[in-house]
Amino acid sequence: MAIGVYLTFRILDLADMTAEGSFPLGGAIATMCLVKGVNPFIATLAAFGGGLIAGLVTGFLNTKLRIPSLLAGIITMTGLYSITSRVMQNAANVSLLGKETIFSIAQKWGLSRNNAVIVMGLIIALLVIALLVIFFRTEIGLAMRATGDNPQMSAANGIKTEQMKILGYMISNGCIALSGALLAQNNGFADLNSGVGTLVIGLASIIIAEVLVRNLPIWGRLLTLVLGAIIYRLILALVFQMNVEPADAKLASALVLVVCLVLPNFHLPRNLKGGKNHARSTKD
Amino acid sequence: MPEVLKIKNLHQTFESGTVNENRVLRGVNLDLEAGDFVTIIGSNGAGKSTLLNSIAGTIPVQEGQIVLNGTDITKLPVTKRAKNISRVFQDPKMGTAVRLTVEENLALAMKRGQRRGFRPGVKKQDRKFFKKQLAQLGLNLENRLDTEIGLLSGGQRQAITLLMATLQRPDLILLDEHTAALDPKTSITVMELTEKLINDQKLTAFMVTHNMEDAIRYGNRLIMLHQGKVAVNLAGEEKQSLTVPKLMELFQKQVGAEVEDDAMLLV
C-alpha cells in the first residue's frame, strides 16, 4: 500500500485521497469473490482491477474536468464508500471464515499461519516491485516520471501529461486495492470502514523510508518502502503496548506520524557537518 | 528558400475586458525561411516571451494565424507541436527532469513527438549515441550518463537541454533567453554551443535575448519588438553591419515615433 501511495505522492507529486476508498474496495472485491469460491489469486487480481478503475475516475476528474487533485480524490473516495457497500451487499463487514485465501494456500505448503502471511506477503510485494521497476524503465514509465518531475518540459517533449497522470492514478490505486485485498484475507473479513487512515499509514511509511535512507534509485526506494511500512507498524505496536485504549488508536497513530515528520527536521543541523548530505536534502 | 514559419496578424490580450486589460501582442506579422536564425530583442513587456509561447502553444492564440511548414498549427496543443518544435527555457531547471538521469532525459527527448510504448526507455544502442553527442559538448559529461540531472550545474543542464532540443531534428527551435540565468563565462560557452548545433544541423531558430551584443553577433536576422509590434526587422547586409549604438539609435527612433503617436491620440 505504501508503494501505491508513493506512486502518486512522490512520482506524480500529488496527494491522492482516493486511497482511503480504494483500500476497502479492494478488500471487498477480493472477499466477495472468495465467498463465491473464486480462485484466491484471481480474486486478488480482481481487487487490483477495481483499484485501477477507481484511479481512472480520480484521474479523469483531475485532468479532464480540471478538479484539483485533492478534491478529486475526496470525491472519488466518498463515492467509493457507497460502491464498496454495494459490492459487500450492504453489509458493514463480510467474513471469510472457512474460505480459501492466498494465505491458506501458502499454509498448504507446510508453513505455519504466521509464516504463510510473511512469505506470501513478501512474494507479492517483491512481484509488484519488480513489475513496477521494469515498467518505470520503459518509454511510458520514463514519460510518467518526467511528468511528475517537470510537466512543462514533458509537454514540450510531446508527452501527453494528462494521460500519464491518469495512468499513474490507476496503477497507484490498483496497488492500494491489492493491499486492501491482502489485508482482508489476512484479517479473515472485509470491513467497509477499513480505509480510514490509509493515506496516513502510506505517507508515514514513505517518510520513514526516506529518513532511513536518502537518495536511492527507484528499485531501492520501493524496497525501503516495505521496510518503512514494517517499522511504522512496529512503532505503533510499541505505542499500543503502553495500554492505549482502542478509541484513542487513531489519535496515537496520527501523533506517531507527526513525530516521524518532525524528527528529520531536527536531524538537519547535525547533517551540516556531513556537508554533501545536507546540500542534497535541501535540494529535495 | 522554403518558408518554415509564417505568423499572420497575431494578437494576444491578457485579462481582456477588465481594467487590467493588457494588449501584449498587437498584430505581429513574421516570415521565417528555412535556415533563418532570428534573434529577438525588446524591452520588458514588449511581448517577446508571449510571442514565443504562442508559437510553442503554451498560450492559446486569440487572434491571428501561425503556419508551420504549410500546416496551420494555430489551434494545436503543445504536445502535438512538440514533434516539430523544440524549446530551451530560460530557467535551466525547466528544460530537464531533475530526478531523472542524464541518459533518461536524453532518451525522453529522442522520442519527442513520437509514440511511447513498453520498450525499454534507454536502449543499449542509444547509450553509445548519447555518449558521442555528450562528448561534443566538451563538458566531460559523456561519463555521467547515470548522474541525476539535479546534481549538475546550471550551465551543464542548459547544454544538455540544448542537446535534447536538437537530438531529433526540429523544424524550428525556440530559445527563450536561455543564457540569462548563467554566469558570463558559462553563458558564452552555451551560446557558442548553440551556434554550433544550429549551424551543424542548419536549423531554423528563434532566439529571445536581453543581450544586444548577442543579438547582433549571432544569427542572420534581428527583430525588435516594441509594444507588441515588430518595430525593427533587419536581415542580410543590414544585420551584418549592425552595432550596438546603431541599434540603440534605431530603437530610440522607433520609441520616439510611438510616443508621438500616443500623444496625438491623447489630444
Side-chain angles (χ1 to χ4, degrees), chain B:
Chain B
M1 275 290 186
E3 210 169 57
V4 173
L5 183 75
K6 192 172 184 66
I7 298 173
K8 283 187 223 159
N9 198 26
L10 184 65
H11 285 266
Q12 293 283 26
T13 309
F14 294 143
E15 304 193 50
S16 66
T18 70
V19 273
N20 293 324
E21 183 172 285
N22 185 7
R23 294 178 60 200
V24 183
L25 295 182
R26 313 174 181 207
V28 171
N29 288 294
L30 213 54
D31 293 320
L32 256 67
E33 285 177 353
D36 268 352
F37 179 1
V38 185
T39 57
I40 309 171
I41 50 170
S43 49
N44 285 327
K48 300 174 308 244
S49 293
T50 307
L51 178 60
L52 226 61
N53 284 331
S54 306
I55 300 170
T58 39
I59 34 184
V61 172
Q62 284 166 348
E63 204 188 317
Q65 200 185 19
I66 301 175
V67 179
L68 186 74
N69 275 336
T71 323
D72 186 351
I73 59 163
T74 316
K75 294 208 160 60
L76 284 187
V78 183
T79 41
K80 288 260 170 67
R81 299 187 198 193
K83 190 170 180 234
N84 306 310
I85 300 177
S86 67
R87 196 166 183 202
V88 183
F89 300 89
Q90 176 177 2
D91 183 351
K93 287 194 201 90
M94 286 288 307
T96 46
V98 288
R99 279 180 299 170
L100 304 193
T101 63
V102 172
E103 63 177 11
E104 285 170 337
N105 269 285
L106 291 171
L108 276 176
M110 274 284 273
K111 299 289 283 178
R112 178 162 43 77
Q114 294 171 27
R115 267 191 82 88
R116 290 163 209 269
F118 287 102
R119 273 160 297 167
V122 185
K123 293 160 202 76
K124 263 192 194 140
Q125 65 267 30
D126 286 350
R127 234 171 240 141
K128 264 191 199 153
F129 175 66
F130 293 160
K131 271 198 172 174
K132 232 171 78 190
Q133 294 292 317
L134 285 167
Q136 67 162 2
L137 302 182
L139 292 169
N140 286 325
L141 286 169
E142 57 272 23
N143 296 318
R144 304 190 64 182
L145 282 176
D146 289 325
T147 309
E148 263 182 48
I149 290 272
L151 301 173
L152 300 179
S153 72
Q156 288 172 322
R157 281 193 215 175
Q158 214 57 333
I160 289 174
T161 312
L162 264 173
L163 189 60
M164 284 167 62
T166 53
L167 221 45
Q168 280 286 342
R169 190 181 186 281
D171 293 333
L172 179 67
I173 177 168
L174 304 173
L175 307 162
D176 189 0
E177 291 185 47
H178 68 302
T179 60
L182 306 175
D183 65 74
K185 196 171 157 251
T186 318
S187 163
I188 292 171
T189 318
V190 171
M191 260 325 296
E192 281 169 355
L193 182 67
T194 308
E195 195 179 33
K196 180 179 178 297
L197 287 172
I198 289 176
N199 288 343
D200 283 356
Q201 295 194 44
K202 298 188 175 58
L203 297 174
T204 312
F206 232 132
M207 180 174 85
V208 170
T209 176
H210 258 311
N211 186 330
M212 284 206 196
E213 285 176 29
D214 277 355
I216 292 169
R217 186 179 313 136
Y218 299 100
N220 66 331
R221 289 178 61 184
L222 182 144
I223 280 166
M224 182 187 284
L225 284 181
H226 184 65
Q227 297 187 342
K229 281 183 184 162
V230 177
V232 178
N233 188 349
L234 302 174
E237 272 295 295
E238 266 184 310
K239 162 78 168 63
Q240 298 308 321
S241 61
L242 203 61
T243 58
V244 173
K246 260 195 209 170
L247 187 56
M248 285 303 286
E249 198 184 311
L250 273 169
F251 179 66
Q252 292 298 344
K253 226 174 33 200
Q254 202 56 43
V255 174
E258 290 279 330
V259 171
E260 268 173 33
D261 282 349
D262 282 348
M264 301 271 279
L265 279 176
L266 284 173
V267 173

Side-chain angles (χ1 to χ4, degrees), chain A residues 166-189:
Chain A
I166 294 179
L167 191 62
Y169 273 118
M170 288 175 71
I171 299 176
S172 157
N173 281 292
C175 290
I176 292 164
L178 177 72
S179 60
L182 295 185
L183 187 81
Q185 293 180 62
N186 183 28
N187 287 348
F189 62 89

Side-chain angles (χ1 to χ4, degrees), chain A residues 23-43:
Chain A
F23 189 78
L25 176 72
I29 292 177
T31 304
M32 295 318 283
C33 286
L34 291 174
V35 167
K36 294 210 166 76
V38 177
N39 175 301
F41 289 103
I42 292 173

Side-chain angles (χ1 to χ4, degrees), chain A residues 247-258:
Chain A
D248 299 334
K250 293 289 173 196
L251 179 64
S253 47
L255 285 177
V256 169
L257 183 61
V258 171

Side-chain angles (χ1 to χ4, degrees), chain A residues 10-11 13 135 137-140 142-143 145-146 148-150 152-153 155-161 215 280 283, chain B residues 78-79 82 93-100 104-105 107-109 111-113 116-121 123 150 164:
Chain A
R10 281 294 186 234
I11 305 253
D13 209 10
F135 169 72
R137 289 201 177 143
T138 64
E139 291 164 358
I140 292 182
L142 271 186
R145 283 160 64 201
D149 203 334
N150 187 341
Q152 258 177 297
M153 165 269 189
N157 277 299
I159 295 170
K160 297 188 180 95
T161 50
N215 291 308
R280 280 187 180 185
K283 229 177 237 170
Chain B
V78 183
T79 41
K93 287 194 201 90
M94 286 288 307
T96 46
V98 288
R99 279 180 299 170
L100 304 193
E104 285 170 337
N105 269 285
L108 276 176
K111 299 289 283 178
R112 178 162 43 77
R116 290 163 209 269
F118 287 102
R119 273 160 297 167
K123 293 160 202 76
M164 284 167 62

Side-chain angles (χ1 to χ4, degrees), chain A residues 8 12 14 16 51-65 135 144 147 160-174:
Chain A
T8 41
L12 284 180
L14 303 161
D16 181 15
L52 286 182
I53 296 169
L56 178 68
V57 173
T58 308
F60 180 80
L61 292 176
N62 179 212
T63 59
K64 301 290 178 195
L65 302 185
F135 169 72
M144 186 186 290
T147 301
K160 297 188 180 95
T161 50
E162 289 189 345
Q163 291 180 13
M164 286 302 137
K165 272 191 190 168
I166 294 179
L167 191 62
Y169 273 118
M170 288 175 71
I171 299 176
S172 157
N173 281 292

